[in-house]
């Protein structure tokens, strides 16, 4: 996963344009990606698809410079972060005072270059280290942004894995951030691998893995699928999965959707990680969970946007994410898929009195001793769960690991003692 | 407000009689007071309107005294508290032992005169400082209470402010306590001002401000209005608003009425004050919330009855209440009125995806930075609240100040993005 | 109660056979016991009634011994615990290595003899002190178990107390444990006394006191009564009531059944004791609360199975239980019966405003003072409870002792102010 991140890192992604198109091309080499698009100007609910943005070069140099790299004080070629996303073209000479309003820095983290965009309000700007901005001599500067904004297309991709059922699990990640590794090349890399794993065997549920530009991309997907969103039974926005933090799960707007309960129990079983209540601020869960859709989408990250100093800065680089942490996220998501596949409401086929587990080899023969073997306890709890909801509820109620509950349920099903509903 | 309290302080109020009539006359000089009454003997639910009580004089002096003020050991003229409310007339000579059962003192607060009444069981008595009672020589005493109990009227007043809607907010305070400032001249003074403020501009809701004798007065009002109580959407009993304590809000019997949720959030936003669960002991909320009515009446006080040593004693005097604290109570109640006027269920007019706040000037143009500006956050939370209850629920859910939520809601309504229902 | 325990202690009880039959005979001398049975081989839901087990003797001695008591290393005659319950007959000579798998000890409590059974898997074994087992010389041993397993009957008994109503309260205790005092001769002794007390006066509810072998006995009772279980409104499994611990109440599977709420409040009022959530592991509540029945059965114990070192060992002897603790349990259960008899939903006959308690002698005449007398407060809370559930809910809501609430309710009923429903 880290190798894929390293390959994608130099591309200047944005909502639209060559960078995001190249990113989708690269993803398509790994997994069967279905590509979709909407033309600029298309109305998507309250929004409109913007013009496509092409950025070729951007720099600041002392007045009179021809733009030779050695003369550039700020140079897009060194980092895609240096130019404000969707900057309009400019080629002019300005005094330092005139230039200042177009310079974005982080005074509290003076060596870091921030990430800024202005998608829906036409303007231009540069991002740079505050330490550099402070040292700029009071002189005139040549300022060049070689960009284009013209009608084009908003593009996205998705991997579709059809299962036995139309009921669909959606994983979504945004692909519009330029050279930022945790937010969000990590999300892209993990979902590519997860899609591969999910597609590798027959599945009960159907799955969709979305690679969409932030906000407008998720709105585009919702718009395209607006007549068939009722098949979506579970959804998860993933991003920021490569940093060194423990997991943070953010609940859906509903707060008690199946995905919320599953993720809470999985993190509880890990003995680490944090569950937070829904808030309407964040990533694309804002769109999936907006009142008109109110889909059961949670969000999984490690560090949370705005809470770690590297967030949306040049410090979110290749060193900030590790294969180990990406793998941990992939493992957790694979567990989630197993839970979604196995979960269902428990019905007992032998509800009057406890079934005699002993004669089925599901219980130890010698009574009187204190039996704390977890599989036996899990069996009792699963049987007890009949008529009381799903297997996740059994894990919640019992405090037993979800893995033990699923294992016991499988054995009880084989023994003909329970059914697990859809 | 303190000036009004000082004017009313000397009057000997009771359930009925000249003192309470004079009090209503004085209130009527400030606000348009509608006067009502029931005759003595009228059955009000399980109660009966008592005879009207007139008290002219009451004193204890050594046997043989003509009642010259200089000879009086206990003298009603010095404090209305000295005579037990509704005392029957008496003019007799008693030994100290015969007198003792008629003397009420506070041994744990020996310098304070207690406040006692006996409305529904005919008897007579005096209240005095325990230090004085202990020093009375063992001799015979002339005891005079110049009172009258005869058929008359139970009177109350109310200020009615008609709004666009019949839905009615009721504020109620009791007016039957004699020379006691916090309990309850403070309630009278604050409600007079609140009624003036509410009447000063057009209102969505209708309002009623009740000035009623305790228990029998609220029962009288309930009886008079018993066929139209279904218009009462919010109710609040106020009393004890002038002492130095923080606020205490007591929930209605329902526990989750709109008034309960509003007051909880307002006190939360103040960062001080206490919310207590319903109990059937207290002031007139006992009647408004009795099972047959079960109206949504909470209660606002500062100090709580029985929990401060000055309660129902001569120490609840003009020094015990301050204009500053009265003003704080008035401010809070004005905020409450603003909340009641503005509150309602949120409906989104653009529920599919987040509305694009940026192009409406409701969101900052430059993305990527961490935006914590509370009005933007409040806007997101209000939009998120569509279909999930009222604006108070938005404040509860978000933790944002109710004032910020109301402000954001007003802006979103102007922008045509939401409706706030009745 | 301790005397009855001492009489029953030597008997070798099991699921079936002479020991349990003798135990039922002894109980029948105290209370009118209705006896019931099912034949071996009868299918009871998922279970089958096992053969009847008779045990006459069991011992281990050095090879060549004739079985003279002085030669026996382990001897059933010294303790019924020495033989594994339902052991098949054996008379053989074995090496120590061959014998070892049949020896059960407690290495962490080396002086105690454990209690073990193997009801449904044919095998045999001995239980002994680990200190003894470790000292056995490496030689050959004569091993004798003089037992019989042949078709017979599963027997149980119950005391039936018919009340005005068919609604039935069931108390159940298991009778299958051999020489173990707390688990469960204490349960037998306390229920015998409780049955006597309940039968001593006319009752509103009907009562059944079950004395049943564990698991298969409760299943037998459920099977026999399977068409009329809907009359069971309250159920309680009792066991382990004689040790020195405070009470532990385990909630029914429903978690909020009336019995759960009653026991929680009674323990709260005692100021001691623990309430635990339902789990599907434990005593016969496993059967009564199995999903198909889901009866409102809680469980009362003092110490909890598996949590005290004497549990299921020879240390659970006559010294481990005391008359004082048994009496405390009986007292609590008698209180429970009083609550069940008196409880019901409150309806007010005077719901509009507070009834005037004063003129009925239910409230002090002199107002103004702080009245904290608990019976007056309890009266207010009971009146307040009209339309809000039962008297237990009044005690929960008010924090007042259930006894005070029942007392106040009785007075208000006499005064014609409330009705308490069934």
């Amino acid at each position: 996963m880290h190798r894929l991140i390293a390959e994608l890192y130099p591309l200047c992604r944005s909502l639209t344009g060559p960078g995001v198109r190249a990113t989708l091309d690269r993803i398509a080499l790994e997994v069967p990606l279905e590509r979709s698009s909407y033309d600029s100007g298309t109305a998507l609910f309250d929004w409109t698809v913007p013009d496509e943005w092409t950025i070729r070069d951007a720099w600041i140099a002392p007045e009179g410079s021809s733009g030779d790299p050695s003369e550039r004080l700020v140079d897009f070629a060194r980092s895609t972060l240096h130019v404000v996303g969707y900057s309009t073209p400019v080629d002019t000479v300005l005094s330092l005072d005139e230039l200042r309003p177009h310079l974005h820095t982080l005074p509290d983290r003076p060596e870091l270059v921030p990430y800024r965009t202005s998608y829906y309000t036409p303007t231009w700007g540069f991002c740079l280290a505050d330490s550099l901005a402070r040292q700029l001599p009071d002189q005139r500067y040549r300022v060049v942004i070689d960009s284009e904004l013209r009608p084009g297309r908003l593009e996205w991709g998705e991997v579709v894995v059809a299962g036995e059922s139309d009921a669909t699990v959606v994983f979504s990640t945004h692909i519009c951030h330029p050279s930022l590794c945790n937010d969000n090349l990590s999300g892209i890399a993990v979902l590519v691998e997860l899609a591969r794993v999910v597609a590798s065997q027959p599945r009960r549920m159907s799955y969709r893995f979305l690679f969409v530009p932030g906000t407008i991309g998720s709105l585009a997907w919702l718009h395209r699928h607006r007549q068939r969103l009722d098949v979506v039974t579970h959804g998860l926005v993933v991003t920021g999965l490569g940093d060194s933090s423990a997991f943070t799960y953010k609940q859906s707007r509903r707060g008690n959707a199946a995905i919320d309960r599953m993720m809470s129990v999985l993190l509880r079983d890990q003995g680490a990680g944090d569950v937070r209540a829904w808030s309407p601020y964040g990533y694309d869960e804002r769109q999936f969970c907006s009142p008109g859709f109110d889909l059961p989408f949670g969000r999984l990250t490690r560090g949370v946007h705005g809470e770690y100093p590297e967030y949306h800065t040049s410090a979110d680089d290749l060193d900030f994410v590790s294969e180990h942490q990406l793998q941990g996220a992939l493992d957790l998501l694979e567990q989630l898929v197993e839970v979604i596949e196995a979960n269902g409401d428990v019905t007992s086929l032998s509800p009057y009195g406890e079934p005699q587990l002993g004669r089925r080899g599901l219980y130890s023969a010698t009574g009187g001793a204190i039996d704390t073997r977890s599989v036996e306890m899990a069996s009792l709890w699963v049987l007890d769960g009949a008529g009381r909801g799903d297997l996740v509820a059994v894990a919640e109620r019992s405090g037993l690991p979800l893995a033990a509950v699923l294992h016991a349920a499988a054995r009880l099903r084989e023994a003909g003692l329970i059914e697990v509903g859809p």
Side-chain angles (χ1 to χ4, degrees), chain A residues 7 17 47 78 86 94 102 116 120 127 138 143 158 165 173 190 213 216 320 327 330 336 338 361 390:
Chain A
E7 268 189 68
W47 300 65
R78 275 180 238 145
Y86 263 65
L94 299 174
H102 294 275
R116 293 288 180 272
Y120 301 101
C127 298
D138 188 6
V143 180
E158 63 187 305
S165 163
T173 203
V190 170
I216 192 73
F320 188 60
Q327 186 64 47
L330 180 60
L336 173 63
E338 292 314 312
D390 62 6

Side-chain angles (χ1 to χ4, degrees), chain A residues 24 27-28 31-37 155-162 207-212 221 224-225 228:
Chain A
L24 289 168
I27 293 171
V31 285
L33 196 70
E34 298 184 11
R35 308 280 286 264
S36 302
S37 68
E155 296 180 52
W156 74 92
E158 63 187 305
V159 179
V160 181
V161 180
Y207 292 81
R208 285 175 181 265
F209 300 85
L210 316 190
F211 299 88
V212 291
W221 186 88
R224 181 65 52 85
H225 294 265
R228 29 182 205 278

Side-chain angles (χ1 to χ4, degrees), chain A residues 213-272:
Chain A
T215 304
I216 192 73
S218 52
L219 289 168
W221 186 88
L222 285 161
H223 194 267
R224 181 65 52 85
H225 294 265
R226 66 192 181 281
Q227 301 303 338
R228 29 182 205 278
L229 293 173
D230 54 345
V231 300
V232 178
T233 54
H234 307 73
L236 190 69
V237 167
V238 300
T239 169
L241 295 174
D243 68 85
S244 62
S245 308
F247 293 111
T248 300
Y249 177 72
K250 175 183 167 181
Q251 294 175 329
S252 75
R253 183 170 178 263
R254 299 180 185 183
N256 64 348
I259 186 82
D260 298 324
R261 297 167 48 246
M262 289 170 179
M263 287 304 306
S264 287
V265 172
L266 285 172
L267 291 185
R268 180 201 71 180
D269 290 352
Q270 291 215 345

Side-chain angles (χ1 to χ4, degrees), chain A residues 9 79 81 106 109-115 129 179-183 242-243 308-321:
Chain A
Y9 184 59
S79 166
L81 299 182
L106 295 168
R109 284 161 286 175
E111 301 309 318
L112 304 188
V113 180
Y115 163 55
S179 303
L180 296 165
C181 287
N182 197 44
D183 185 9
D243 68 85
Y308 53 94
E310 298 84 356
Y311 171 74
H312 277 193
T313 74
S314 51
D316 181 3
D317 60 13
L318 288 165
D319 292 335
F320 188 60
V321 297

Side-chain angles (χ1 to χ4, degrees), chain A residues 392-412:
Chain A
V392 176
V394 172
E396 290 171 337
R397 205 178 283 127
S398 65
L400 295 172
L402 195 38
V405 170
L406 298 186
H407 178 65
R411 297 202 331 163
L412 292 166

